[in-house]
Amino acid sequence: MRRPIRALAVAIALSAAPIAIAAGGVTELNEAGKAAYARGDLATAERLFREALEAAPEESTLHYHLAVVLTKQSRWKEAKDAYERCLRLGPSVALRAAAIEGLRSVTPLAERRYRPPDPEPAPVARRRVQRPADPPDTVRLRRWGGNWVVEATINDFQRANFVVDTGASICSISPRVAASLGLMTHDAPRIPLMTPGGPTSGLLVKIPSIRLGEMEVRDVPAVVHASVDFADGLLGNTFLRHFTITLDPDRGLLTLQPR
């Protein structure tokens, strides 16, 4: 019997356009791979998705799943190749959008050429030049209208722009970035939201790591929602509550002191 398989990292309504796959346990391997991925067993997830691809090499969803697992392992070139194979196979519109975003994220890292490290300066010279321009607990902001926007690093590899919003009870992240990070799993719960435009809802997810400069918070609750059109999300109190915050508007600096 042929059955559709659901995407691992994006919410795709496959029931309207089922994917025909080869028989022989491909669906079971895919589901087992997703389960391994969900519990953080990336090596097993990779093995299962590769076994499924041996039986169904033309299945674009499996190539996308493998690409997400490789991205999580920081294997940028292999992930890039897997995203490209997924796109060559003509995936659905939603899966294509997620694969393009994933490819865009890993391509600069996959193509980065090795540069030997600079030689260590002499101890005296190092003491003279070691002082940074800004303190380690301070990051720079930029103005966008009446908002302050900061660049953060998500999961140690992807950069995103967040609006600093001390009035937001929870962080939010755009659907585009959430899909590229593999956060939009099919079992993510949906929660109600109250926005300036009225009541709405979004998927509740957990971002493994958000870093501002040297300040990091892990396992940050967030909601998938297109909160603003000029940034990738809102930096709310599920991140900010871990710090005492000082904003210097004249210099455009945000200081975060751990509580």
Side-chain angles (χ1 to χ4, degrees), residues 49-94:
F49 290 140
R50 288 191 186 278
E51 288 181 15
L53 281 166
E54 289 180 4
E58 301 301 310
E59 175 49 61
S60 59
T61 303
L62 293 172
H63 286 288
Y64 178 75
H65 289 182
L66 178 61
V68 170
V69 172
L70 294 169
T71 299
K72 289 288 187 182
Q73 298 178 79
S74 302
R75 291 159 61 184
W76 314 123
K77 188 176 186 313
E78 294 173 83
K80 178 176 178 291
D81 293 342
Y83 284 125
E84 289 174 341
R85 284 196 293 271
C86 171
L87 291 169
R88 285 197 296 268
L89 291 169
S92 66
V93 173

Side-chain angles (χ1 to χ4, degrees), residues 214-225:
E214 297 186 10
M215 302 293 105
E216 180 187 29
V217 177
R218 304 190 69 84
D219 296 328
V220 182
V223 63
V224 179
H225 184 259

Side-chain angles (χ1 to χ4, degrees), residues 107-154:
T107 295
L109 297 163
E111 297 179 350
R112 184 171 58 190
R113 290 180 171 84
Y114 173 73
R115 177 187 173 189
D118 295 331
E120 283 285 333
V124 174
R126 183 165 60 246
R127 285 197 297 270
R128 286 202 302 267
V129 302
Q130 194 174 14
R131 188 172 61 188
D134 297 321
D137 59 355
T138 299
V139 293
R140 292 197 171 271
L141 304 168
R142 69 176 187 275
R143 271 287 195 185
W144 188 280
N147 301 287
W148 288 106
V149 179
V150 65
E151 184 181 79
T153 301
I154 305 177

